[in-house]
Amino acid sequence: LNTEFFIAKKIIFGTKNQKASSKPIVKLAILGISLGLIVMILTVAIVKGFQNEIRDKVIGFGSNIQITNYSTNNSYEPDPITKDQPFYSTLPKQSGIKHIQVFATKNGIIKTKDEIEGVVLKGVSNDYDWDFIKKNMNEGTVLTLSDTAASKDIIVSQTLAKRLNIKKADKLFIYFITKKKDTSGESAQEAYEQRVKTFNVCGIYDTGFEEFDKKTVFVDLRQIQKLNYWTNDLVGGFEVEINDIEQIDEMGDIVNQEVGVSFNAQTMKQTNSTIFSWLDLQDMNAIIVIVLMIVVAAINMISTLLILI
């Protein structure tokens, strides 16, 4: 018979002739330690689940890695690049890379009868992965894109829909400021004009992440090409999806080497450094809670042993 188990059994249950007076004390100690363990497990589970949920939403809006023109322009209207790049066909063949797609963004102002709201239009093409948006669709459908004509449909968030009183099948007037078409030399490149486009609301999504929901709408990429007077082969950049999020830093280095010095490949941790730094701080909160629970459990055990002695 195990000696430690024999002694513990006698302390808790006593003997045939004498009932153990320490049984309630030991039960309270076990209960206290069990509650401490439960709190520690729940803390780790909640923090990790929260981090994964926020991270998945950020990546859902912008993929794992973004490839843009290497320039000092960090706005929502990056300098265009040609779609026909060698890496566009070679990157999907790399181990660890799941998908690559083109995109473009442009600032706009939605105007209704009573309200106005600034938004960022994200233009997507036929190669766009709709899994994230479909999972968070509240009403309607995603964009139906064809190879012939540019779609006039638009997907807005539930946050915008409530704020501007927008419903499915409504028409939206969006105003833009864009450079005039270059027709008369350098002076025309510095001139700007106001343009307006009409879109039909085909779907409303809700990710619950207001930081992105309140400003992001989805349209056909060709609409942004027309607004910017781009040709059909020009895009704002490329988005790369990878298989394992834990390897995002390594894959970012690989993609950077593949695209060369003319382009800049940034991971979501780099483009959204504030959000990911905030998520990393949650680990410190979990560590503090776990340390406190360990201290409480240790004091509980010491007190119980002293009472037994």
Side-chain angles (χ1 to χ4, degrees), residues 143-169:
L143 300 177
T144 302
L145 306 176
S146 66
D147 295 327
T148 54
S151 173
K152 291 187 176 181
D153 290 338
I154 186 172
I155 302 174
V156 301
S157 69
Q158 186 68 37
T159 303
L160 275 174
K162 286 183 178 180
R163 186 163 183 171
L164 302 178
N165 195 24
I166 299 171
K167 298 178 182 178
K168 183 178 173 293

Side-chain angles (χ1 to χ4, degrees), residues 215-230:
K215 66 183 180 182
T216 307
V217 298
F218 294 86
V219 298
D220 192 336
L221 173 63
R222 281 168 292 189
Q223 293 289 356
I224 295 181
Q225 289 173 335
K226 289 181 178 181
L227 284 166
N228 291 333
Y229 298 112
W230 292 351

Side-chain angles (χ1 to χ4, degrees), residues 47-48 50-66 209 211-212 242 244-249 266-284:
V47 169
K48 289 301 179 183
F50 176 76
Q51 288 176 326
N52 291 337
E53 189 70 16
I54 297 297
R55 183 186 63 188
D56 291 344
K57 291 182 187 298
V58 173
I59 292 172
F61 278 103
S63 198
N64 301 107
I65 303 169
Q66 284 190 351
F209 194 23
E211 180 72 20
F212 288 87
I242 62 176
D244 186 4
I245 186 62
E246 300 299 331
Q247 297 181 348
I248 187 169
D249 294 325
Q266 291 184 303
T267 65
M268 280 294 100
K269 292 174 69 175
Q270 294 170 322
T271 55
N272 296 277
S273 57
T274 304
I275 294 175
F276 279 90
S277 296
W278 169 63
L279 290 177
D280 290 339
L281 287 175
Q282 305 304 313
D283 290 332
M284 182 58 66

